[in-house]
Amino acid sequence: VVGLGLIGGSLLRRLADQLPVCGYDADELTRAAARDAGYEVLESVGELVRTSQLVVLAVPLPELPAVIAEVAAAAHEHLVVTDVCSVKAPVLDLVRPTRIPYVGGHPMAGSERSGFAAADPALFDGAAWVLCLEDDTPLVTWLVLARLVTGMGCRVVPCTAADHDQAVARVSHLPHALAAALAAGAAGSPLALALAAGSFRDGTRVAATRPELSAAMCVGNAPALSIELDALIARLTELRRRLTDGEDPTDWFLPGHQVRTGWPRPAAGFDLTDGEDLRLRLLDVGRRGAAVTGIGKDGEGRLLLSCAG
Amino acid sequence: VVGLGLIGGSLLRRLADQLPVCGYDADELTRAAARDAGYEVLESVGELVRTSQLVVLAVPLPELPAVIAEVAAAAHEHLVVTDVCSVKAPVLDLVRPTRIPYVGGHPMAGSERSGFAAADPALFDGAAWVLCLEDDTPLVTWLVLARLVTGMGCRVVPCTAADHDQAVARVSHLPHALAAALAAGAAGSPLALALAAGSFRDGTRVAATRPELSAAMCVGNAPALSIELDALIARLTELRRRLTDGEDPTDWFLPGHQVRTGWPRPAAGFDLTDGEDLRLRLLDVGRRGAAVTGIGKDGEGRLLLSCAG
């Protein structure tokens, strides 16, 4: 595990129960803290790569180019790389030229805290965990990682990096932008803030996120977020037009009502067996909003993937 | 109390502890339910008006014109009227021609439930309660109502109908529109909904409101909401431009961050004494986001208004 902050540190703690695992962090104090907590901590990315078969990159996006160069310099033929960044296409673009087998990952878990001191092996319990499946992702590598992640009690959502980035723009980055825009509208309005209640409280909650974190998140996924912003602005412009024209907006409110009252939906289980087109069938699982929950064998020794959604 | 739904019914129950109070509802079953619960229920608006000094209109906005005509037909010289509608300028426009002393009111309390069966005397505990103060509102009438409302444990926020409508457009109607627009964006995206977590959950919560209720709320306050929609669309368009131009959006996120981390703010107490310009000083209390919390007398028998904010 390269990078021992909240996510990387939690992963080191969680995996140590089931695998031989070691870590590295660019910060000397973080390395000392992890070592004091009883974990094996190495002194460079190169040393870690040379002694590992699977490397998890858990550093912020701006630090990834330098770290990936260090990984590539020490790469060996048994090496597999994954990561935990909240945006996937830019990471794919960075790793692909190294030709190291790579599966992009994104655990949908976190907290408002940060650093190794906040690391918690239970952070991922029950979480969705995206594992990206591109045309050139080795399926066997994807399955190894999926088994590791389902073994941690997570649901593995298979999708492409592009589909992931559009989806998180829609349900995570856009809500952060809207919360900030809504809260900003009440600046300089003490009367409005005195009358604000539940809808303002919930609609602006994530506006309390540190501005530089929200900004980095949006910039890192700018193309996908721009598409979502355009669609949202168009929807609001249509509501504005109806108010001007005196046209009933009830059916404008209907799609959002249907989505929200139907979410989250109850999950049903189903199985996938290994065979033809497994890659396409896995991508279809993610596209349907379902996930792989376990990987085992059927009575005849064939791969059997338990799914739910 | 005319209209015994959630708000009117809760008010009937709450006031019955301290005043002789009676109610009316257009629905026969609701009248029977209130009577069975031990309350005095009359058979017409006219009968109620003739036996009351203060009438509280607690019917939906579309029913108000007819109810106000009935009230005006039975009006007497000691009658005072208030209401609990969530929009104030349209009600003022309806009542003003009757020349009945009127103070617009809006308790900032509610629940997702409705009807007399859901009525709860504790619904208003600790709530802000707007009482409108226009140039032509008799100050003595306003003070009588303010004493009644503070006596129920509510904070009275003095403001004009126009300022009220702009404030609730900003912190209540706009959040409802944004929640619906955000939720609608995820329609037909099972993958996005599978990855959605806290920011989507909170940002879309009020999209579960019945579409016809959200629509009626927005149409009832269309001029004020249109101004807020324009401002919000402009803010989002600026973020969109920054993403396109590769300009750092950190300071775009800053005002919302400041508003949200400073809200709700701790309140400090202060007093107002009766005298010159009390009307203007009361409006200033509301404009500052403060409220009247109690009305009593000072050592020399003069009116003393306790405030907080």
Side-chain angles (χ1 to χ4, degrees):
Chain A
V1 181
V2 178
L4 301 177
L6 173 71
I7 303 292
S10 298
L11 196 55
L12 184 77
R13 287 179 182 274
R14 178 66 182 81
L15 288 176
D17 291 342
Q18 56 193 81
L19 287 174
V21 63
C22 60
Y24 169 78
D25 195 283
D27 176 59
E28 195 180 325
L29 292 174
T30 300
R31 290 202 299 277
R35 218 170 260 135
D36 288 349
Y39 298 99
E40 185 186 358
V41 179
L42 303 179
E43 284 299 305
S44 74
V45 173
E47 190 184 352
L48 182 142
V49 170
R50 279 187 293 273
T51 60
S52 302
Q53 288 192 286
L54 169 64
V55 170
V56 184
L57 306 176
V59 301
L61 189 60
E63 296 173 28
L64 263 183
V67 170
I68 288 170
E70 290 182 82
V71 171
H76 50 82
E77 63 174 327
H78 300 295
L79 183 67
V80 167
V81 169
T82 187
D83 75 309
V84 296
C85 275
S86 61
V87 60
K88 303 268 50 84
V91 184
L92 184 62
D93 290 343
L94 287 170
V95 182
R96 213 171 230 162
T98 68
R99 298 178 170 274
I100 302 168
Y102 164 72
V103 177
H106 183 199
M108 306 307 291
S111 101
E112 67 291 353
R113 307 200 302 148
S114 59
F116 185 78
D120 174 3
L123 183 68
F124 309 110
D125 288 0
W129 192 306
V130 170
L131 286 180
C132 289
L133 195 50
E134 315 299 330
D135 287 344
D136 58 353
T137 306
L139 196 53
V140 60
T141 308
W142 191 92
L143 289 166
V144 165
L145 276 165
R147 195 181 318 222
L148 182 73
V149 171
T150 55
M152 289 166 56
C154 299
R155 291 169 286 130
V156 170
V157 180
C159 63
T160 65
D163 284 350
H164 166 276
D165 290 355
Q166 202 63 52
V168 294
R170 194 164 288 177
V171 296
S172 173
H173 304 164
L174 186 63
H176 278 77
L178 285 189
L182 183 58
S189 303
L191 171 64
L193 289 169
L195 302 185
S199 64
F200 181 82
R201 179 193 63 225
D202 289 355
T204 60
R205 185 181 58 84
V206 293
T209 306
R210 281 168 46 209
E212 58 273 27
L213 294 184
S214 297
M217 200 168 72
C218 291
V219 169
N221 200 15
L225 179 56
S226 295
I227 291 170
E228 298 303 325
L229 273 172
D230 286 345
L232 190 103
I233 290 169
R235 275 194 293 281
L236 293 176
T237 302
E238 166 63 11
L239 175 62
R240 175 70 171 86
R241 185 194 67 72
R242 292 197 183 200
L243 293 178
T244 305
D245 295 352
E247 208 174 289
D248 180 9
T250 301
D251 68 338
W252 183 91
F253 279 96
L254 198 58
H257 175 78
Q258 287 171 333
V259 166
R260 190 52 171 82
T261 52
W263 178 89
R265 64 170 187 197
F270 61 96
D271 289 331
L272 284 189
T273 46
D274 195 8
E276 216 181 340
D277 292 333
L278 180 59
R279 182 188 306 267
L280 295 179
R281 284 184 287 136
L282 280 169
L283 285 174
D284 190 53
V285 165
R287 214 171 287 124
R288 288 164 52 189
V292 178
T293 54
I295 299 184
K297 305 259 180 195
D298 70 6
E300 290 160 33
R302 285 175 311 196
L303 203 61
L304 185 78
L305 294 90
S306 309
C307 302
Chain B
V1 180
V2 179
L4 302 177
L6 173 70
I7 302 291
S10 298
L11 196 55
L12 185 78
R13 288 179 181 274
R14 178 67 183 79
L15 288 176
D17 292 340
Q18 56 192 82
L19 288 172
V21 63
C22 62
Y24 168 78
D25 195 283
D27 177 57
E28 194 180 326
L29 291 175
T30 300
R31 290 203 300 278
R35 218 171 258 134
D36 289 347
Y39 299 99
E40 185 186 359
V41 178
L42 304 179
E43 284 298 305
S44 74
V45 173
E47 190 184 351
L48 181 141
V49 169
R50 281 187 291 274
T51 59
S52 302
Q53 288 191 287
L54 169 64
V55 170
V56 184
L57 307 175
V59 302
L61 189 59
E63 296 173 27
L64 263 183
V67 169
I68 289 170
E70 290 182 82
V71 171
H76 50 82
E77 61 174 328
H78 301 295
L79 184 67
V80 167
V81 169
T82 186
D83 74 310
V84 296
C85 275
S86 62
V87 62
K88 303 271 45 89
V91 185
L92 184 62
D93 291 343
L94 288 170
V95 182
R96 214 171 229 162
T98 67
R99 298 178 171 272
I100 302 168
Y102 164 71
V103 178
H106 183 199
M108 307 306 293
S111 100
E112 68 289 354
R113 306 200 302 149
S114 58
F116 184 79
D120 175 5
L123 183 68
F124 309 111
D125 287 1
W129 191 308
V130 171
L131 285 180
C132 289
L133 195 50
E134 315 299 330
D135 287 344
D136 59 352
T137 306
L139 195 53
V140 61
T141 308
W142 191 92
L143 288 166
V144 165
L145 276 164
R147 197 182 315 226
L148 182 73
V149 171
T150 55
M152 289 166 56
C154 299
R155 291 170 285 131
V156 170
V157 180
C159 64
T160 65
D163 284 351
H164 166 276
D165 290 354
Q166 201 63 53
V168 295
R170 195 165 288 176
V171 296
S172 173
H173 305 165
L174 186 63
H176 278 77
L178 286 189
L182 183 58
S189 303
L191 171 64
L193 288 169
L195 302 184
S199 64
F200 181 82
R201 179 193 64 225
D202 289 355
T204 60
R205 185 180 59 86
V206 292
T209 306
R210 280 167 46 209
E212 57 274 28
L213 293 185
S214 296
M217 198 167 71
C218 291
V219 168
N221 200 16
L225 179 56
S226 294
I227 292 170
E228 299 302 326
L229 274 172
D230 287 345
L232 190 103
I233 289 169
R235 276 194 293 280
L236 294 177
T237 303
E238 166 62 13
L239 175 62
R240 175 70 171 87
R241 186 195 66 74
R242 292 196 183 199
L243 293 177
T244 305
D245 295 354
E247 209 175 289
D248 181 8
T250 301
D251 68 339
W252 183 91
F253 280 97
L254 199 58
H257 175 78
Q258 287 171 335
V259 166
R260 190 53 171 82
T261 52
W263 179 87
R265 63 170 189 198
F270 60 97
D271 289 332
L272 283 190
T273 48
D274 194 8
E276 216 180 341
D277 292 333
L278 180 59
R279 183 189 305 268
L280 295 180
R281 285 183 288 136
L282 280 169
L283 285 174
D284 190 53
V285 165
R287 215 171 285 123
R288 288 163 53 188
V292 178
T293 55
I295 299 184
K297 305 258 182 199
D298 69 6
E300 291 159 30
R302 287 174 311 198
L303 204 60
L304 185 79
L305 294 91
S306 308
C307 301

